[in-house]
Amino acid sequence: MKSLLEQFLALDLVVLGEQDAPLLFCPERLVLMRLSPDGLRIAKAALSREAEAEMESEGVAGFLRATVDCVLRAPKLETFRSSLVGEPGRRRVLPKLVLMVNNYCNLQCRYCYEKETALKHPARCLGRRAIRTAIDRCYEFFETIETLMFIGGEPSLSEEAIEEGCEYCVSEAVRLGRRTPRFGMITNGVRISELLYAVIERFGIQLTFSVDGPKATHDLVRIRKDGTGSYDAVSLNIKRYAEAHAESVSIESTVTGAQADGGLSVSQRLNFIAEEFGVVAPHITVACLPEGHALRGADADSAALDEEFQDAVEMSATNILDELAEGDAAAGGPRLNCVEEMMRALAKRSATTAMCSAGTAQLVVDAHADVYPCWMFAGNTRFRMGNILTDDLGQILGSDVMAEVIANTRVTNINCSSCYARFVCHACIGNNYIRTGSIGEMDYAFCDRTRQSLGTVLRVMAGARM
């Protein structure tokens, strides 16, 4: 039988925030406990196995026993394995089919990773035959396609391909008696023709726009071919779309070292997006750039950015808790999408063991009809799994690339398996590859930022419960 100390150590607990408001957190059950000064001392001694003989004293044993009982009373975290490779005979669902309808763009954003991958290949628009074949093969293999998403390049430059994809996917779903999918598109928002607006309205396409802050900040990096900024056009199209689809508009915003010169903090960017476009939970992320990139910034800049990001995390968590306390969405305020998802995972107590959605919840067909686990790999032959026009989808899903992606999980990856934020993390194997050259080697700057964010969120939550 395990000793009391062994039971305590088996819980994989971690001490957080010991400088001001010490907490004890169990990542396997997402249990959070506040610590008194004595509790902090005992917990640290137990976790480091210092003064092991003292663990049998009455006060220490009482603390250990109470902690073990508290954690074990909590239900186990529900972890599930995301995979597109299902067991024979089981109903299969494809959460997202992504069509990269072209590999060219009307902007030349200074941090664009596609310049080294998809955009290096001859310009191509995904043809009608490839679109239909991709949908046919997916409906042969999967019972349901939940979402059909359009990306590029810049997808708005290929409105006929988008219309073809929507029309054919709906007609096939109806013919086969399947549920019709949702439709989405990620766009820079610079050009949305009247034809495309009509397609958007007809099929209810949800739009995600790329906006990097106010005009002065955005136009530093999201520039046209002639070097001019793109903000004015993007802003007009967001507001036009939002007039009819206020609940559907989404924004993703990328932070780089160059934009730090504009003096706009992450929190200020968050507030700006909410005030200007009515989007209260944008996806704001720090650009993942290789070493030596002109927009990476110096170490001091990175440290300052991390501090800014944590300020925005604290503001986000506070706003979410205020909204919950009042029971009124208007009572809250802007929040980072990543914080919202992190707090949702803590509340729902369920998590996937998959590293990210690449190859586990999505398939990507690029403009040349090649299939990849993620659009961040499009054009990189290292991650090409096959071609939708020539290869059977079962063979594609059985490729070595897919096997490598599926095997790299939060429990098998040596970096993730011991990380206390592993079950609330939203890692990205595409970012890993850009930063480290491997999908399994983590981007440590991202990991540190995620752990800091979890600590900030838990501290805010613990303070709200006092």
Side-chain angles (χ1 to χ4, degrees), residues 306-317:
D306 285 341
E307 186 174 342
E308 276 186 20
F309 200 85
Q310 293 314 308
D311 288 342
V313 169
E314 182 171 1
M315 181 181 81
S316 300

Side-chain angles (χ1 to χ4, degrees), residues 80 101 106 122 165 171 345 361 368 419:
F80 56 95
V101 293
N106 49 3
S171 66
H368 297 269
C419 175

Side-chain angles (χ1 to χ4, degrees), residues 64 86 90 93 99 133 135 220 296 302 312 381 392 409 427 451:
L64 297 181
R90 290 189 63 183
V93 173
L99 299 183
T133 301
I135 292 168
L220 283 171
R296 272 186 59 82
S302 298
T381 56
D392 178 76
T409 73
R451 282 189 286 266

Side-chain angles (χ1 to χ4, degrees), residues 185-263:
M185 181 173 74
I186 300 175
T187 175
N188 60 35
V190 171
R191 173 192 179 274
I192 301 182
S193 67
E194 292 306 316
L195 170 60
L196 184 52
Y197 264 119
V199 173
I200 289 168
E201 292 300 314
R202 181 179 166 195
F203 294 100
I205 301 176
Q206 186 273 323
L207 298 189
T208 297
F209 295 88
S210 297
V211 183
D212 288 352
K215 179 179 174 64
T217 304
H218 178 98
D219 285 349
L220 283 171
V221 288
R222 300 194 64 82
I223 55 179
R224 300 174 188 266
K225 304 289 187 180
D226 62 3
T228 59
S230 61
Y231 178 84
D232 291 338
V234 178
S235 177
L236 286 174
N237 282 318
I238 294 175
K239 290 175 180 177
R240 178 179 177 181
Y241 176 74
E243 283 180 4
H245 307 282
E247 300 302 316
S248 298
V249 62
S250 179
I251 286 177
E252 58 181 22
S253 187
T254 304
V255 181
T256 67
Q259 290 152 313
D261 296 335

Side-chain angles (χ1 to χ4, degrees), residues 56-373:
E56 299 301 321
S57 68
E58 183 176 345
V60 172
F63 171 85
L64 297 181
R65 186 176 298 107
T67 302
V68 170
D69 289 345
C70 176
V71 172
L72 295 184
R73 278 198 305 270
K76 289 184 177 180
L77 181 69
E78 294 183 15
T79 57
F80 56 95
R81 176 178 176 267
S82 298
S83 177
L84 299 179
V85 186
E87 298 174 10
R90 290 189 63 183
R91 179 175 177 272
R92 292 170 174 162
V93 173
L94 176 58
K96 186 180 294 181
L97 171 61
V98 181
L99 299 183
M100 180 178 274
V101 293
N102 59 42
N103 66 332
Y104 45 84
C105 188
N106 49 3
L107 295 184
Q108 50 181 17
C109 300
R110 294 173 61 196
Y111 54 73
C112 178
Y113 64 86
E114 287 190 351
K115 287 187 291 188
E116 302 303 320
T117 53
L119 300 187
K120 291 181 70 173
H121 295 266
R124 182 84 173 263
C125 178
L126 189 64
R128 181 173 183 267
R129 176 168 168 255
I131 291 170
R132 292 192 168 208
T133 301
I135 292 168
D136 286 341
R137 291 191 188 278
C138 286
Y139 271 134
E140 288 169 3
F141 198 87
F142 298 100
E143 175 71 20
T144 302
I145 301 172
E146 292 185 335
T147 298
L148 179 61
M149 175 173 281
F150 304 99
I151 64 167
E154 172 46 41
S156 66
L157 303 179
S158 299
E159 56 260 271
E160 294 87 354
I162 294 171
E163 184 175 24
E164 175 67 26
C166 292
E167 284 185 342
Y168 190 71
C169 200
V170 168
S171 66
E172 283 302 284
V174 172
R175 186 181 69 83
L176 296 168
R178 313 287 178 80
R179 187 172 73 246
T180 56
R182 297 183 295 270
F183 298 103
M185 181 173 74
I186 300 175
T187 175
N188 60 35
V190 171
R191 173 192 179 274
I192 301 182
S193 67
E194 292 306 316
L195 170 60
L196 184 52
Y197 264 119
V199 173
I200 289 168
E201 292 300 314
R202 181 179 166 195
F203 294 100
I205 301 176
Q206 186 273 323
L207 298 189
T208 297
F209 295 88
S210 297
V211 183
D212 288 352
K215 179 179 174 64
T217 304
H218 178 98
D219 285 349
L220 283 171
V221 288
R222 300 194 64 82
I223 55 179
R224 300 174 188 266
K225 304 289 187 180
D226 62 3
T228 59
S230 61
Y231 178 84
D232 291 338
V234 178
S235 177
L236 286 174
N237 282 318
I238 294 175
K239 290 175 180 177
R240 178 179 177 181
Y241 176 74
E243 283 180 4
H245 307 282
E247 300 302 316
S248 298
V249 62
S250 179
I251 286 177
E252 58 181 22
S253 187
T254 304
V255 181
T256 67
Q259 290 152 313
D261 296 335
L264 190 76
S265 71
V266 177
S267 296
Q268 289 170 329
R269 181 184 297 217
L270 185 58
N271 284 324
F272 168 79
I273 292 172
E275 292 169 5
E276 185 70 11
F277 302 114
V279 177
V280 296
H283 179 66
I284 298 180
T285 185
V286 178
C288 184
L289 301 168
E291 294 291 343
H293 194 286
L295 300 184
R296 272 186 59 82
D299 289 342
D301 295 331
S302 298
L305 179 57
D306 285 341
E307 186 174 342
E308 276 186 20
F309 200 85
Q310 293 314 308
D311 288 342
V313 169
E314 182 171 1
M315 181 181 81
S316 300
T318 301
N319 287 342
I320 290 171
L321 291 178
D322 286 346
E323 178 180 315
L324 292 173
E326 297 295 329
D328 180 5
R335 72 285 310 269
L336 295 168
N337 174 263
C338 62
V339 173
E340 196 170 63
E341 292 184 351
M342 182 176 284
M343 295 180 73
R344 185 178 294 117
L346 290 167
K348 290 178 63 176
R349 308 183 58 78
S350 67
T352 177
T353 58
M355 192 68 69
C356 65
S357 61
T360 62
Q362 71 179 22
L363 286 177
V364 178
V365 180
D366 79 351
H368 297 269
D370 291 329
V371 184
Y372 297 87

